Amino acid sequence: CKKEVQQFSFFFFSSRRRHTRCSGVSWARRCVQETGTWGIFYQMKSLIYLVLALYILSVGIAGLRLRSVPEAPETPEIPINPEYFVMDWKTYMFNSEPPFDPTTQKFNREGTGKTWYNWKIKSIREDYHDFCFAIFAEDYNFPCQFLNTQETSYLIYNKTEVPTCCIFIKPWNPPSPDFGVRANLTYLGKYQIEGRDVNYFQKKSEGAFGAVYYSWLADSEEVIPTSFAFPPMPGKEWSIKHFVNYTHVEPDNSFFEIPELCYNAQSCLLYTSDAADDLLCVDLGGRRIIKKKK
């Protein structure tokens, strides 16, 4: 009895016919008996090469697909700050636009300060320990305090031996916890600043600044603000506050008491730019009701 055995290297490759006697031994066993163990692999080498080629091709296509269609970064929700908190901060003056990292970039000067915030009584206090808010036409190399309470922003500064108090803006309220949502901040991406991963946001301003920047700690269950940057004098330096020692505690109301020297305070005459008005009343989320007279 004879049986025709068609030996294929593979279906699409060359084939050859050979006749073997059906003696109860399969073609594969007969091939091993006639040519040895390696013979069967030699007969099927084309098939093995093709399988390997298909495997390599499939891996290459998968890798190309990963490279050509990158995964879109997840856009985090705009954070909503707590109703109250206390934090220290370092402030830097620098020349380049944010994001800014003082550990890797040059800055012109640095200082320190502290913030107390309580939205329950719509109050915020900011103490500048080394130099004041850089919005003044001349020198700002003196400590100062911004006390914002009872819809009034007071500026208390020590430019001379006798502290002075004036009304910076009235009426005015501090930024609400959801100011970022109301301002519709634009997400810029995740950056590493001073060893921390932070989410950076931007707010385009219609005022003199052009843009201001905010950041919060990334991948954190707790909402922790990490920085606020703006150009106090447009076209010149940038100013940024890097927040440290953030604590979610309610400050005592005594921190927002209006001192006696502010009882008869008059409007401040220390700055000449509308930039200050635009910053505090628009970009930080406060209410702007009256316009500065020309």
Side-chain angles (χ1 to χ4, degrees):
C1 102
K2 291 187 178 181
K3 181 179 179 181
E4 185 181 72
V5 178
Q6 187 176 16
Q7 180 180 351
F8 287 94
S9 296
F10 196 65
F11 296 105
F12 305 105
F13 279 58
S14 63
S15 64
R16 59 182 177 175
R17 298 174 180 269
R18 61 182 297 190
H19 295 275
T20 61
R21 289 187 176 274
C22 230
S23 58
V25 182
S26 66
W27 170 81
R29 292 179 60 189
R30 183 178 295 277
C31 184
V32 172
Q33 291 172 354
E34 293 177 358
T35 62
T37 304
W38 292 104
I40 185 65
F41 293 104
Y42 177 80
Q43 296 291 333
M44 303 182 65
K45 64 180 180 180
S46 298
L47 174 61
I48 295 173
Y49 291 159
L50 181 60
V51 171
L52 288 175
L54 291 175
Y55 174 76
I56 294 173
L57 181 62
S58 64
V59 172
I61 293 175
L64 180 62
R65 185 176 301 170
L66 289 175
R67 289 191 296 270
S68 60
V69 186
E71 184 179 354
E74 182 179 356
T75 301
E77 294 183 356
I78 300 175
I80 297 178
N81 284 334
E83 284 191 324
Y84 47 79
F85 55 79
V86 178
M87 59 188 176
D88 299 314
W89 38 266
K90 296 180 180 179
T91 182
Y92 300 93
M93 305 298 297
F94 58 102
N95 296 326
S96 59
E97 190 168 345
F100 172 77
D101 187 349
T103 62
T104 58
Q105 295 173 263
K106 294 182 179 180
F107 52 87
N108 302 327
R109 64 189 307 184
E110 64 177 317
T112 60
K114 193 177 186 74
T115 295
W116 296 262
Y117 175 83
N118 191 345
W119 179 247
K120 294 167 65 175
I121 58 174
K122 292 182 171 56
S123 298
I124 184 173
R125 171 181 162 182
E126 294 182 301
D127 287 9
Y128 291 74
H129 299 157
D130 302 290
F131 54 87
C132 199
F133 203 57
I135 59 173
F136 303 106
E138 298 178 356
D139 180 37
Y140 55 92
N141 191 28
F142 50 86
C144 68
Q145 175 189 124
F146 283 90
L147 176 61
N148 308 290
T149 187
Q150 298 181 20
E151 296 193 349
T152 304
S153 176
Y154 296 95
L155 170 60
I156 304 170
Y157 60 97
N158 298 326
K159 195 172 183 180
T160 61
E161 295 182 357
V162 180
T164 303
C165 180
C166 61
I167 296 176
F168 191 61
I169 298 174
K170 183 179 180 178
W172 186 80
N173 277 323
S176 61
D178 64 343
F179 79 92
V181 177
R182 295 190 295 110
N184 194 24
L185 299 181
T186 301
Y187 178 62
L188 299 182
K190 182 186 293 187
Y191 295 84
Q192 189 171 76
I193 307 296
E194 293 185 303
R196 300 187 297 179
D197 289 334
V198 302
N199 290 324
Y200 243 89
F201 293 82
Q202 182 191 62
K203 169 66 170 69
K204 290 290 187 180
S205 171
E206 298 178 355
F209 289 91
V212 291
Y213 297 82
Y214 308 86
S215 71
W216 284 266
L217 189 65
D219 306 321
S220 173
E221 296 182 358
E222 184 180 4
V223 176
I224 300 179
T226 54
S227 74
F228 165 59
F230 62 96
M233 302 295 288
K236 296 184 179 179
E237 293 178 310
W238 281 80
S239 175
I240 190 168
K241 293 177 181 176
H242 279 187
F243 306 133
V244 295
N245 301 329
Y246 172 90
T247 54
H248 184 202
V249 297
E250 184 173 357
D252 191 84
N253 288 350
S254 61
F255 285 104
F256 309 109
E257 291 181 356
I258 301 173
E260 186 176 351
L261 62 89
C262 294
Y263 287 172
N264 299 314
Q266 302 298 314
S267 296
C268 297
L269 301 175
L270 293 176
Y271 67 97
T272 58
S273 172
D274 282 335
D277 214 19
D278 290 331
L279 172 70
L280 291 177
C281 294
V282 178
D283 292 311
L284 288 183
R287 292 188 295 120
R288 185 175 187 175
I289 299 177
I290 58 175
K291 294 183 179 180
K292 192 175 181 179
K293 296 181 179 179
K294 296 184 178 178

